[in-house]
Amino acid sequence: MKGYGKWAGAFLALLCAAGLALAGCGGGGRESAEDSGADSVLGSGRETLRILSGSENEELEPILENFAEEQNVRIEMTYQGSLDIMRALGREEIPYDGVWPASSLWLSVGDTNFKVKHTESISITPVVFGIRQSLAEELGFVGREVSVNDLLEAIRGGNLRFCMTSATQSNSGASAYIGFLYALLGNPEVITSEDLEDPGLQEQMTELLSGVDRSSGSSDWLKDMFLEGGYDAMVNYECLIIQANEELEDRGEETLQVVYPYDGLSIADSPLGYVDNGDDGKEELFLKLQEYLLSDSVQNEIQRTGRRTGYAGISEENRDVFREDWGVQPDRVLSPIRMPASDVLFQCLNLYQTEFKKPSLNVYCLDYSGSMEGEGNEQLVEAMGQLLIQEEAAKNFLQASEHEVNILIPFNLSVLGVYQAEGPGEELEELYDVVRDQPVGGGTNMYEAAMEGLSMLSEYDLSQYTPAIILLTDGESLDSFDDFRDQYEAMGADVPVFSIMFGDAQPEQLEQLAELTNARVFDGRTNLTEAFRQVKGYN
């Protein structure tokens, strides 16, 4: 690992240069969110603020909308993961007026051109475990301080499994993972490259991450997925655990006990910064928004969403939100861990992806029907190249681990073949050759391919993998969903079917699969490569 710092600096530059075209670049005016490229448009004034934000801030849209209406402005919100925000900040052109990631880490690492200024923390929230109340009691985690090693022992004993976002795609996963590293290393002043070479650390981290049941690329979606499944625990922001508990209580279901791993507690400080593109009017408007968000009355509203607005306690009137019977500690003084230097951070993320996390088991069911001919097939080949060619996959921390399994099932009206590769070697890039050379033609039957995928997965011990079926289709499938549902239910395994909608695919059919398997649908009609990259980040 000699010379790693120089390599990491070059790697950051490569990441930034390889950043994909970003949404939200349209001009001002009164377009819809779809027309502007933004995920959400608040207000309808002539002046526009475009903000690139972490998805967790979607919960604050009512507060932002009040400002937009009061000031007669328009706020366009584009939501991306923390690493995407980091990449965006490294581009020469940043088509946003403000940036609002979950943590200052991504600003300090990503803003290599020093275009972000006036940065202020809007709220803070620790990354915690939410464990089903009865299980937390069984584990002895109620009413006492809990260490990362306590959590590791519960995982080793087969008594704790949890859901978590990917450390290479989402801030909550990355923050939790860095916290685990600090704790397992005995809380050094700072993590070094040499620390990460410790075989004992590597073994412990692999054991700890073996407890991950389901992964996600988004903290907000992780919460939604958790609420739809029968899981025991999740690692997420304290504010999202609070929101999950509110919904569980409304349903009359068992709530989660909040557990703070005291020796590896990481904090999301929600920094909002101005992107200086030389427009004084935008800067003045941005500062008005920031002043509004930091005002006493709005900070109080933000606390009502389960976010803290300081490191030492909650106001008396909001203590009912931070409920101590759920294990929330409103008076806890939060002391964040120190994040590693950028080159060590990238080393940490690469080790997570290639060595530490439970290996993925991906089944790609890809549509080669006649309607994919031409541009559709070209986009598919390009997108799969970003995942299967490891030099490309590494640019987005999506490279395969040694024991990862990738299965390719091309289909039209029937399954056209089944191809398989283990690990990151030649076999995997040979799958890319199959993707590139597969002829196009015929009708569409995605269900048969997905059922073949289930049959392939049944040959594995799924407890040793993070399995998923990744399905691309561009047309209406002619067969019946019922046969797939029957086989899926008979299998009795928690395998998400992540669908990518393309061309004339029928949203209703894909949503059926997502609802059955507690998964989600990605829209690949605008940027198929981006859709594949996102869905791979969920596994």
Side-chain angles (χ1 to χ4, degrees):
M1 295 191 181
K2 300 292 186 185
Y4 197 92
K6 292 182 180 178
W7 179 88
F11 185 63
L12 173 59
L14 185 61
L15 273 175
C16 297
L20 300 170
L22 295 166
C25 303
R30 300 175 183 274
E31 314 104 315
S32 66
E34 182 176 350
D35 292 335
S36 71
D39 293 307
S40 185
V41 172
L42 310 169
S44 57
R46 291 191 177 278
E47 287 189 280
T48 300
L49 274 177
R50 297 176 177 85
I51 298 177
L52 179 61
S53 171
S55 63
E56 64 283 344
N57 289 325
E58 194 170 355
E59 305 289 338
L60 301 181
E61 283 188 3
I63 293 172
L64 295 171
E65 189 155 26
N66 288 339
F67 174 83
E69 291 173 356
E70 288 173 9
Q71 298 293 324
N72 191 29
V73 299
R74 168 188 171 101
I75 299 176
E76 294 180 0
M77 299 293 292
T78 297
Y79 296 110
Q80 293 188 359
S82 294
L83 273 86
D84 287 325
I85 293 174
M86 178 196 75
R87 296 183 188 101
L89 291 175
R91 293 168 61 88
E92 187 173 343
E93 298 292 330
I94 306 174
Y96 300 96
D97 307 306
V99 60
W100 198 358
S103 171
S104 295
L105 170 68
W106 310 109
L107 293 184
S108 60
V109 173
D111 185 25
T112 54
N113 296 319
F114 304 104
K115 295 191 71 172
V116 179
K117 63 182 188 179
H118 303 312
T119 302
E120 295 283 354
S121 174
I122 302 303
S123 65
I124 63 169
T125 189
V127 178
V128 299
F129 273 75
I131 303 175
R132 190 164 43 84
Q133 180 69 34
S134 57
L135 177 58
E137 291 172 357
E138 289 173 21
L139 295 171
F141 289 171
V142 178
R144 73 173 179 90
E145 289 285 87
V146 176
S147 68
V148 169
N149 192 63
D150 291 330
L151 296 163
L152 176 58
E153 288 301 317
I155 293 164
R156 280 176 174 156
N159 299 315
L160 177 63
R161 301 180 68 81
F162 60 96
C163 305
M164 174 177 150
T165 63
S166 167
T168 61
Q169 305 301 316
S170 169
N171 180 70
S172 66
S175 296
Y177 166 61
I178 297 298
F180 298 157
L181 287 173
Y182 263 101
L184 295 175
L185 286 167
N187 292 107
E189 184 177 344
V190 64
I191 296 176
T192 67
S193 180
E194 290 73 23
D195 288 331
L196 297 173
E197 297 173 353
D198 181 349
L201 170 72
Q202 295 176 359
E203 181 181 356
Q204 287 179 309
M205 183 55 66
T206 301
E207 287 179 313
L208 197 156
L209 293 176
S210 73
V212 175
D213 257 335
R214 282 282 297 268
S215 182
S216 166
S218 160
S219 304
D220 206 49
W221 189 80
L222 181 76
K223 178 202 72 174
D224 294 341
M225 181 204 75
F226 183 90
L227 289 169
E228 294 301 318
Y231 307 106
D232 283 339
M234 68 170 160
V235 175
N236 215 325
Y237 299 121
E238 179 188 57
C239 62
L240 294 183
I241 302 289
I242 289 171
Q243 290 170 23
N245 270 351
E246 289 170 346
E247 184 163 341
L248 289 167
E249 189 168 75
D250 286 346
R251 294 180 189 174
E253 298 176 16
E254 184 178 19
T255 56
L256 303 175
Q257 176 79 11
V258 178
V259 172
Y260 303 81
Y262 70 84
D263 53 351
L265 191 64
S266 54
I267 309 293
D269 62 344
S270 189
L272 175 61
Y274 173 66
V275 179
D276 188 359
N277 288 313
D279 186 333
D280 292 342
K282 294 284 189 182
E283 185 173 4
E284 183 180 351
L285 183 56
F286 170 87
L287 289 172
K288 283 184 180 178
L289 172 62
Q290 193 178 68
E291 182 182 10
Y292 165 81
L293 291 171
L294 292 173
S295 66
D296 290 344
S297 61
V298 175
Q299 288 279 286
N300 189 65
E301 286 185 67
I302 289 173
Q303 270 197 13
R304 296 297 301 174
T305 70
R307 292 161 171 80
R308 299 172 186 245
T309 54
Y311 287 87
I314 303 301
S315 68
E316 195 63 35
E317 62 189 295
N318 290 327
R319 294 179 73 89
D320 61 313
V321 175
F322 296 79
R323 288 176 44 180
E324 295 180 67
D325 58 319
W326 291 342
V328 181
Q329 298 177 15
D331 298 319
R332 188 183 189 101
V333 177
L334 301 176
S335 300
I337 60 172
R338 181 178 174 186
M339 286 295 172
S342 60
D343 58 339
V344 179
L345 171 66
F346 289 130
Q347 186 181 358
C348 291
L349 295 179
N350 272 298
L351 285 169
Y352 169 87
Q353 184 67 23
T354 61
E355 302 289 339
F356 295 158
K357 80 180 185 74
K358 190 185 294 186
S360 299
L361 204 176
N362 309 300
V363 180
Y364 292 98
C365 299
L366 305 180
D367 191 341
Y368 283 87
S369 61
S371 54
M372 285 291 291
E373 188 170 5
E375 184 180 356
N377 183 245
E378 291 170 5
Q379 289 187 44
L380 172 59
V381 172
E382 167 65 21
M384 290 300 293
Q386 298 295 309
L387 305 182
L388 300 178
I389 298 174
Q390 292 302 282
E391 183 179 354
E392 296 299 316
K395 295 173 183 176
N396 292 304
F397 296 105
L398 294 175
Q399 61 268 51
S401 66
E402 182 180 354
H403 298 295
E404 178 171 308
V405 177
N406 286 280
I407 299 170
L408 173 64
I409 304 178
F411 70 92
N412 51 25
L413 266 178
S414 59
V415 169
L416 300 173
V418 178
Y419 308 88
Q420 189 168 328
E422 180 171 343
E426 289 183 12
E427 280 187 355
L428 189 57
E429 300 208 0
E430 287 170 3
L431 285 190
Y432 172 72
D433 295 337
V434 175
V435 171
R436 183 191 60 207
D437 298 336
Q438 180 68 45
V440 174
T444 303
N445 183 358
M446 66 180 182
Y447 296 117
E448 182 178 334
M451 290 167 68
E452 179 65 27
L454 292 178
S455 297
M456 293 296 296
L457 290 174
S458 67
E459 298 176 7
Y460 290 84
D461 177 2
L462 297 184
S463 68
Q464 302 304 305
Y465 298 90
T466 305
I469 294 175
I470 299 170
L471 170 69
L472 167 78
T473 186
D474 84 327
E476 182 175 5
S477 192
L478 302 179
D479 208 0
S480 168
F481 166 76
D482 296 343
D483 292 335
F484 175 83
R485 181 192 59 213
D486 292 346
Q487 183 176 340
Y488 185 86
E489 291 177 346
M491 184 178 179
D494 181 20
V495 177
V497 178
F498 294 114
S499 301
I500 299 175
M501 180 167 53
F502 193 68
D504 295 322
Q506 297 299 300
E508 297 82 4
Q509 291 185 329
L510 302 183
E511 290 293 350
Q512 267 189 322
L513 290 170
E515 184 176 353
L516 174 68
T517 67
N518 200 8
R520 63 170 292 187
V521 178
F522 295 80
D523 191 344
R525 292 171 296 184
T526 302
N527 190 325
L528 189 60
T529 298
E530 174 70 2
F532 267 98
R533 190 185 67 75
Q534 285 183 333
V535 72
K536 181 64 172 70
Y538 276 63
N539 201 41

